[in-house]
Amino acid sequence: MTNAWPNGRAFAFYDRSEVAISQLGEQLQALGARLEAALGDVRDGAALDDVRVRFLGRSGEITALRRAIGNLPPAERPEAGKIINAAVTGWEAIVASKADELQRRALDTQLEIAIDVTFPAPPARSGSLHPLRRALEDACGYFERRGFAVVLGPEIETEYYNFDALNIPADHPAREGLDSFYFGDGRLLRTHTSPMQIRTMQAHPPPVAIVTSGKAYRRDGIDARHSPMFHQIEGLLVAPGIHMGHLKGMLTGMCRELFGPNQAVRFRPSFFPFTEPSAEVDTTCPGCAGTGSAAGDPGCKTCGGSGWIELGGSGMVHPGVLRESGYDPDVVSGFAFGVGIERIAMVQHDLDDIRVLFENDPKVLAQLA
Ligand code: DAH
């Protein structure tokens, strides 16, 4: 028997007399058809729940049908129960796939709202070379274009290459454990890039012209000018007739190329065990343009008021060092230098604190790019 809800939808209920197992298939088919029609109208989860309850719920249509089984002869009841259960399992699957579909559609709608393909894209952010890498490449590039080979050496060195072969005696203060990082087996983190002078000369007969760059390590505290890890570029030119004028010319040329044509370069007498004579290399302070005072402050913060920034050390290769490497100091002579890459970056970017080079704040790096 079919009836109608007040909203006009058809529904069916069964009174016991209406059920016979011969009609069960037909009745289930009709119920299934109405369930599918009802699902076709469903647009959201609440409507789906209504349909589920109306057809498959405890007081829904299927329960009415189950109850009617009681009217059948006892022998037919188990078979009828099986038929109904099979139909219900199929319908539950249909309801579940409708739930999935609703969920997918809700997500699609959300995405459609969220993605406006006409919206202008944010500008692409491009990276840049780190200022230390740039300084290193600028300095090495200057020498490469003048015929110097670029070589690389180990950061873990032996005491022989780091000290002995460079004429740094066993009682030299630089060899103290307080200044260097030792491994305790005759090796240490190199304290400068100068060991590559020896490695190069021992591997190649003269003439040699090389630059090498990389990290060096010392037990320094961290402040505006110092760091326990820093970078150096080391140069070495050995050939017959090389003299101090070649050294001055090359380093002055490097400073003018890297920092500008008006850059002054000063060579101050100094001492290094592996050079004789030795000189420290200074260049015009970018903070005060060499005047020592910046923005009315008589003590320029970048150079401490001297007007100069110290770049590193240099000199004529010591005859003992040449001999140790198998070179004859009566036939060849050479110059060498070791310059701080952090110092080069300070001058290039007018920095008064090298710590910004290690902190890697993206905003600062973008400014220095
Ligand atoms: N190795 C020295 C240092 O780190 C710097 C240096 C001085 C390098 C004189 C040289 C040189 O090649 O000739 O303090």
Side-chain angles (χ1 to χ4, degrees):
M1 165 176 169
T2 304
N3 219 321
W5 295 107
N7 66 6
R9 282 231 197 112
F11 76 100
F13 69 89
Y14 307 89
D15 81 36
R16 295 177 171 222
S17 59
E18 275 182 275
V19 175
I21 194 151
S22 55
Q23 297 162 3
L24 192 56
E26 225 172 89
Q27 284 171 334
L28 285 172
Q29 221 167 33
L31 179 55
R34 280 188 298 107
L35 171 66
E36 284 190 31
L39 286 176
D41 293 338
V42 160
R43 295 281 169 268
D44 58 29
L48 183 64
D49 279 342
D50 279 353
V51 170
R52 185 189 285 122
V53 168
R54 187 145 52 87
F55 285 89
L56 306 174
R58 222 187 280 167
S59 11
E61 295 204 30
I62 195 66
T63 307
L65 196 53
R66 276 190 211 281
R67 284 211 189 100
I69 291 176
N71 224 23
L72 291 172
E76 290 181 0
R77 286 177 205 166
E79 177 62 18
K82 259 195 225 160
I83 294 174
I84 293 178
N85 285 346
V88 168
T89 305
W91 294 337
E92 277 170 350
I94 295 174
V95 170
S97 85
K98 182 72 185 184
D100 281 351
E101 182 198 320
L102 285 178
Q103 215 172 22
R104 256 199 326 275
R105 244 196 260 152
L107 188 65
D108 285 348
T109 310
Q110 267 180 352
L111 289 176
E112 271 167 33
I113 294 169
I115 299 176
D116 176 356
V117 293
T118 65
F119 200 77
R125 286 206 300 173
S126 55
S128 56
L129 283 183
H130 190 277
L132 286 175
R133 167 63 50 183
R134 266 244 326 270
L136 185 155
E137 289 187 358
D138 288 350
C140 285
Y142 169 84
F143 287 99
E144 257 187 295
R145 288 193 297 283
R146 282 153 186 83
F148 285 64
V150 177
V151 297
L152 293 176
E155 287 175 27
I156 295 175
E157 264 298 4
T158 61
E159 286 191 61
Y160 170 75
Y161 283 114
N162 197 82
F163 295 129
D164 297 295
L166 285 163
N167 203 25
I168 302 175
D171 59 356
H172 194 279
R175 294 183 73 141
E176 273 207 36
L178 289 174
D179 292 323
S180 313
F181 295 102
Y182 285 95
F183 290 95
D185 58 0
R187 297 180 308 156
L188 72 163
L189 290 178
R190 68 180 176 191
T191 62
H192 51 180
T193 44
S194 303
M196 277 310 285
Q197 294 186 25
I198 310 298
R199 287 181 177 276
T200 302
M201 288 190 285
Q202 289 186 351
H204 302 280
V208 290
I210 57 111
V211 279
T212 184
S213 63
K215 293 181 169 68
Y217 303 84
R218 280 179 211 169
R219 290 203 187 190
D220 276 331
I222 299 175
D223 63 26
R225 302 272 183 92
H226 298 92
S227 156
M229 186 277 288
F230 54 99
H231 301 77
Q232 287 189 325
I233 171 172
E234 184 93 15
L236 173 73
L237 171 60
V238 186
I242 296 299
H243 54 74
M244 199 79 184
H246 295 121
L247 171 67
K248 290 183 73 174
M250 289 301 288
L251 285 179
T252 304
M254 180 192 83
C255 288
R256 300 218 165 123
E257 178 170 302
L258 265 54
F259 310 137
N262 299 323
Q263 198 71 11
V265 182
R266 175 174 83 168
F267 291 79
R268 256 181 311 119
S270 185
F271 172 79
F272 299 101
F274 38 95
T275 43
E276 182 57 39
S278 305
E280 246 143 342
V281 188
D282 301 340
T283 193
T284 317
C285 170
C288 57
T291 62
S293 54
D297 181 354
C300 165
K301 250 175 76 188
T302 309
C303 61
S306 72
W308 297 94
I309 297 288
E310 185 189 316
L311 291 178
S314 67
M316 299 306 296
V317 182
H318 194 286
V321 172
L322 291 174
R323 237 177 266 122
E324 176 68 27
S325 306
Y327 284 20
D328 183 348
D330 292 329
V331 178
V332 291
S333 54
F335 73 67
F337 63 87
V339 164
I341 305 273
E342 283 77 7
R343 294 303 174 88
I344 291 178
M346 272 178 87
V347 180
Q348 281 183 318
H349 302 289
D350 188 7
L351 304 176
D352 59 16
D353 193 327
I354 64 166
R355 282 171 288 197
V356 299
L357 296 170
F358 299 111
E359 284 160 0
N360 291 330
D361 178 340
K363 287 191 206 123
V364 174
L365 293 183
Q367 274 181 47
L368 301 182

